[in-house]
Amino acid sequence: MTTRFYTHEACLAHDTGPYHPERASRLQTILNTFDGEEFAALERRVPQPATPGHIALMHPAPWVEAVLNAIPQTGHGHLDADTVVSSGSGEAALVAAGALVEAVDAVANGEARNAFCAVRPPGHHAEQTRAMGFCLFNSVAVGAAHARAAHGLERVAVVDFDVHHGNGTQAMFWDEEGMFYASTHQYPHYPGTGSEDETGRWNNIVNVPLRPGSGSADFRAAIDDRVVPALDAFRPEMLFMSAGFDAHERDPLASINLVEDDFAWVTERLLDVARLHAGGRVVSVLEGGYDLDALAASSARHVGKLMEAAE
C-alpha cells in the first residue's frame, strides 16, 4: 500500500495578488519540498476537476454557479474582503475539490492506504452559501460527503488542526449524525466561531479553543484529552485531516507556538485512531500555513508519517 499525493498546476494559477498571505508560493514551496528523494515513494496523481454534482453534495448548485460566474476574466475580484479571485481561481477550486473526491475513491477502494491533497485555495471556512477566509468551496466537506454517498460509509470524521476554526465544515456537519468534526484552534481569533459549547445537533462537534500563546503541551492535551476520546466514541470509518500548519510558532497570522514535531505527533495520534476504527483509511488536505519555511518543514513531517503508516 502507498500514500497518494494529489496536486495540480491549476492550483498555482489561483492568483490572489501582491502581498496576500494565501499565495501561490505556498504551494510551490510544498511541491519543491516533495521533490526530495525521501518522498520518491509517493504515488503522485493529477486530479480532475470535481463535477457540479460533487460540489452540490455540500453547496447548493445555484450558489456554485454564482461563484463560478463571479470569477473575473482578467484582473482580480473579491468574494469577500479576504477572498480574492482571478481568472484561474474557478478551475483551482474545482480541482481542489476533485482531489478530495479522487483521494477518497483511492483510499476507499484500497488502491492507497492514505492520501495527501496539496491543493489551494483552502476550504474549511467556506459555508454552504458563503465564500470566506480565502476559501471558495469546502473541499474536505465535499470529500467527506462523497465518502458517504459513493462508498456507503456511515460515519466519517474531520479533524482540523489549522489555527483558525473551520466554521464552514462545522456548519455543514452540524445536523448530520454520521459526520463528526473536531477542531483545535486559537480563540478568540478569526472567524470568531469555535467555542466549547458549539457541539452540533448530535453532539458530533468537538471544539477545543486554545488561548493565544499556547504551545505544545496545551495542543497535545487538547488532542489526547478531548479529540481522541471523542473520535474513539464515534468510531469513524474514514478519517479526514484538515491539515493547516499555521499554528506554527513562526506563522505570521496567529500566535500559537507549535513546532514541526507537534504536527508529526498529531498525525501519528490520528493515524492510530484510523487504524483502530477505519482500517487506516485517511485523507488529508492542505489548509493554512503562511510562513514558507515552517510550512515546508511541517508538511514534510506530516506526509512522512502518512508514508510510514502506508508501508
Side-chain angles (χ1 to χ4, degrees):
M1 296 288 277
T2 61
T3 295
R4 286 262 178 105
F5 182 85
Y6 290 87
T7 194
H8 196 293
E9 63 181 7
C11 294
L12 294 169
H14 168 51
D15 177 16
T16 53
Y19 312 116
H20 196 286
E22 206 296 281
R23 57 209 190 274
S25 56
R26 296 179 61 241
L27 179 56
Q28 188 61 63
T29 294
I30 287 176
L31 299 182
N32 293 344
T33 298
F34 288 101
D35 276 342
E37 188 171 339
E38 64 269 38
F39 298 105
L42 281 174
E43 195 172 295
R44 299 165 194 264
R45 291 290 187 274
V46 178
Q48 294 296 307
T51 68
H54 291 138
I55 303 295
L57 290 169
M58 279 297 175
H59 296 282
W63 183 82
V64 174
E65 184 178 0
V67 169
L68 295 176
N69 286 339
I71 303 300
Q73 294 186 357
T74 60
H76 296 94
H78 285 78
L79 301 183
D80 79 349
D82 299 317
T83 308
V84 180
V85 289
S86 61
S87 60
S89 300
E91 183 181 3
L94 291 172
V95 163
L100 268 292
V101 169
E102 292 189 22
V104 165
D105 289 342
V107 171
N109 292 333
E111 299 166 14
R113 173 66 67 198
N114 53 52
F116 179 67
C117 300
V119 293
R120 57 184 288 275
H124 70 153
H125 293 308
E127 299 184 351
Q128 285 94 335
T129 57
R130 185 182 181 191
M132 61 179 288
F134 313 160
C135 304
L136 278 65
F137 304 135
N138 195 315
S139 299
V140 74
V142 169
H146 177 70
R148 299 182 76 201
H151 299 283
L153 302 185
E154 295 182 359
R155 298 180 307 279
V156 296
V158 173
V159 177
D160 186 339
F161 50 82
D162 191 281
V163 81
H164 304 96
H165 181 246
N167 57 293
T169 311
Q170 174 174 291
M172 290 175 171
F173 284 22
W174 190 271
D175 292 319
E176 300 292 336
E177 187 175 11
M179 304 180 88
F180 173 96
Y181 176 71
S183 175
T184 58
H185 48 273
Q186 183 174 321
Y187 187 89
H189 198 37
Y190 182 89
T193 52
S195 64
E196 288 185 355
D197 60 2
E198 297 168 20
T199 58
R201 179 180 178 186
W202 303 98
N203 203 32
N204 57 321
I205 306 292
V206 175
N207 287 306
V208 192
L210 301 173
R211 291 180 295 181
S214 296
S216 298
D218 306 290
F219 173 70
R220 295 187 184 207
I223 296 295
D224 275 341
D225 297 346
R226 297 285 309 283
V227 174
V228 169
L231 272 175
D232 281 333
F234 181 74
R235 296 179 294 114
E237 296 170 290
M238 183 176 286
L239 178 61
F240 294 79
M241 300 185 203
S242 270
F245 301 105
D246 42 5
H248 195 283
E249 63 182 1
R250 293 204 301 272
D251 199 273
L253 296 192
S255 51
I256 300 294
N257 297 311
L258 303 189
V259 295
E260 293 92 316
D261 283 348
D262 295 308
F263 296 112
W265 174 86
V266 71
T267 305
E268 282 191 309
R269 294 293 287 121
L270 296 177
L271 286 165
D272 288 342
V273 173
R275 276 189 288 266
L276 182 62
H277 300 293
R281 295 183 291 192
V282 168
V283 174
S284 178
V285 59
L286 176 67
E287 298 283 5
Y290 305 99
D291 179 278
L292 297 185
D293 291 338
L295 176 61
S298 300
S299 60
R301 295 293 302 280
H302 174 67
V303 173
K305 293 299 181 183
L306 294 178
M307 294 174 70
E308 288 177 15
E311 291 175 353

